[in-house]
């Protein structure tokens, strides 16, 4: 399950085929409105409740088609959150779950990111001797305070500020810590062979990006999504869960993975794992590929008796 909300799965199999597809049959889900799913123009259907219902249909369909009771979920970023939401009411259908860079508390990463950016802006302001730079850092600090005091109900534009624009000006990236891996991802994005292997044309990719913004805006301008907090609710989960997070993942907050792990109180210690991946932020399968897949494969094999 891909991230977003609103992203797509077309390129995911490129990173899974070497490590997982030899032993596991993997279904790649383009969620409602994303990727090659039908374009969604009704924002009222773009909700966490609807996406959980959609996933349930997919799980039931797969179990019926392949006559199997063993279904494992892997969710990255928003997909990690979706997996947790699904397990709250449907864990009887799932064998195990891998939560990659997911979140269970939506407000925490907003405040954590603002705090991090405020510290950086303060430091740069004190060090700079350029009047234009100093003025800009003051503007950023003022805007951060304004966002912090807001209700987070209409958050799409502010989200773009604190997750994309401000980090560029402050010298960090919430999604990437491994700059070499980031550059390699950029190069892949310009490789026509890469598109062909993912079964995408450039035109289809551009449309997927357009649709992603629509879906993401719908979610980010929905108060219930921004204020989502399921830390107490996920305590009902008792199926095996693996939590993976990058040590520099400012997109979800550095303590998010630990918060999720500690909230999963009903899972025996031998059935839940947490791994903080070094030299990585949000894109673990690219930033520390070998370690990421070693951990995922070990977990899946353990709980599928392979």
């Amino acid at each position: 399950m891909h991230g977003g909300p609103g992203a797509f799965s077309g390129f995911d199999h490129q990173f899974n085929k070497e490590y997982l597809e030899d032993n596991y049959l993997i279904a790649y889900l383009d969620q409602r409105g994303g990727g090659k799913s039908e374009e969604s123009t009704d924002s009222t259907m773009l909700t966490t409740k609807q996406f959980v219902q959609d996933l349930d249909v997919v799980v039931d369909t797969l179990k019926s088609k392949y006559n199997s009771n063993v279904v494992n979920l892997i969710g990255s970023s928003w997909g990690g959150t979706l997996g947790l939401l699904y397990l709250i009411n449907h864990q009887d259908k799932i064998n195990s779950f891998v939560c990659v860079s997911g979140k269970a508390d939506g407000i925490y990463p907003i405040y954590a990111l603002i705090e991090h950016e405020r510290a950086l802006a303060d430091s740069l302001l004190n060090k700079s001797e350029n009047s234009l730079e100093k003025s800009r850092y003051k503007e950023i600090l003022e805007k951060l305070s304004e966002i912090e005091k807001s209700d987070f109900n209409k958050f799409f534009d502010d989200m773009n500020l604190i997750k994309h624009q401000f980090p560029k000006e402050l010298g960090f990236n919430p999604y990437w810590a491994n700059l070499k891996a980031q550059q390699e991802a950029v190069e892949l994005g310009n490789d026509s062979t890469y598109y062909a292997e993912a079964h995408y044309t450039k035109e289809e990719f551009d449309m997927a990006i357009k649709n992603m913004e629509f879906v993401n805006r719908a979610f980010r301008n929905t108060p219930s999504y921004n204020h989502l907090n399921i830390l107490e609710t996920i305590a009902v989960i008792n199926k095996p869960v693996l939590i993976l997070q990058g040590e520099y993942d400012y997109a979800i907050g550095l303590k998010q993975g630990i918060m999720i792990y500690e909230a999963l109180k009903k899972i025996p210690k031998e059935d839940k794992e947490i791994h903080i991946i070094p030299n990585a932020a949000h894109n673990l399968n690219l930033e520390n590929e070998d370690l990421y897949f070693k951990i995922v494969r070990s977990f899946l094999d353990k709980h599928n008796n392979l």
Side-chain angles (χ1 to χ4, degrees), residues 6 20 54 72 77 82 85 90 92 107 109 164 182 267-268:
L20 298 177
D54 291 347
N72 304 283
S77 193
L82 178 58
L85 286 165
H90 302 288
D92 58 304
I107 290 293
H164 301 288
Q182 182 184 12
I267 304 177

Side-chain angles (χ1 to χ4, degrees), residues 31 36 42 44 52 72 167 179 208 255 257 286:
Q31 298 157 31
K36 292 186 177 180
D42 182 0
T44 64
V52 169
N72 304 283
L179 300 183
K255 297 180 181 179
L286 293 169

Side-chain angles (χ1 to χ4, degrees), residues 36-55:
K36 292 186 177 180
S37 290
E38 287 187 15
E39 181 181 5
S40 181
T41 58
D42 182 0
S43 61
T44 64
M45 299 294 289
L46 300 173
T47 65
T48 56
K49 181 179 179 181
Q50 183 61 59
F51 275 46
V52 169
Q53 291 176 357
D54 291 347
L55 178 56

Side-chain angles (χ1 to χ4, degrees), residues 8 11 189 195 200-210:
F8 43 93
F11 299 93
Y195 281 89
Y200 267 82
T201 65
K202 187 62 168 62
E203 291 74 21
E204 288 172 329
F205 175 78
D206 291 342
M207 179 57 69
I209 293 296
K210 177 183 176 182

Side-chain angles (χ1 to χ4, degrees), residues 9-67:
S9 65
F11 299 93
D12 288 348
H13 77 279
Q14 293 298 102
F15 309 109
N16 290 333
K17 63 183 180 181
E18 179 181 349
Y19 298 91
L20 298 177
E21 288 187 356
D22 55 342
N23 280 93
Y24 292 92
L25 177 64
I26 302 182
Y28 296 91
L29 170 62
D30 276 353
Q31 298 157 31
R32 182 178 294 260
K36 292 186 177 180
S37 290
E38 287 187 15
E39 181 181 5
S40 181
T41 58
D42 182 0
S43 61
T44 64
M45 299 294 289
L46 300 173
T47 65
T48 56
K49 181 179 179 181
Q50 183 61 59
F51 275 46
V52 169
Q53 291 176 357
D54 291 347
L55 178 56
D56 195 37
V57 172
V58 172
V59 169
D60 285 345
T61 300
L62 291 172
K63 290 171 74 72
S64 175
K65 181 175 182 178
Y66 294 102
N67 192 30

Side-chain angles (χ1 to χ4, degrees), residues 243-248 254 257-258 274-278 291 295:
I243 301 158
L244 289 161
Q245 181 175 335
E247 67 171 327
Y248 300 114
L254 302 187
I258 296 172
I274 181 169
H275 296 267
I276 306 300
I277 306 300
L291 179 58
I295 294 170

Side-chain angles (χ1 to χ4, degrees), residues 250-288:
Y250 291 102
I252 60 171
L254 302 187
K255 297 180 181 179
Q256 186 79 236
I258 296 172
M259 293 161 64
I260 294 172
Y261 180 84
E262 292 178 347
L264 296 170
K265 299 177 181 179
K266 284 193 176 181
I267 304 177
K269 286 189 176 182
E270 63 269 21
D271 287 340
K272 67 175 181 177
E273 299 178 25
I274 181 169
H275 296 267
I276 306 300
I277 306 300
N279 192 31
H282 200 66
N283 300 285
L284 305 183
N285 62 332
L286 293 169
E287 294 185 89
N288 202 328

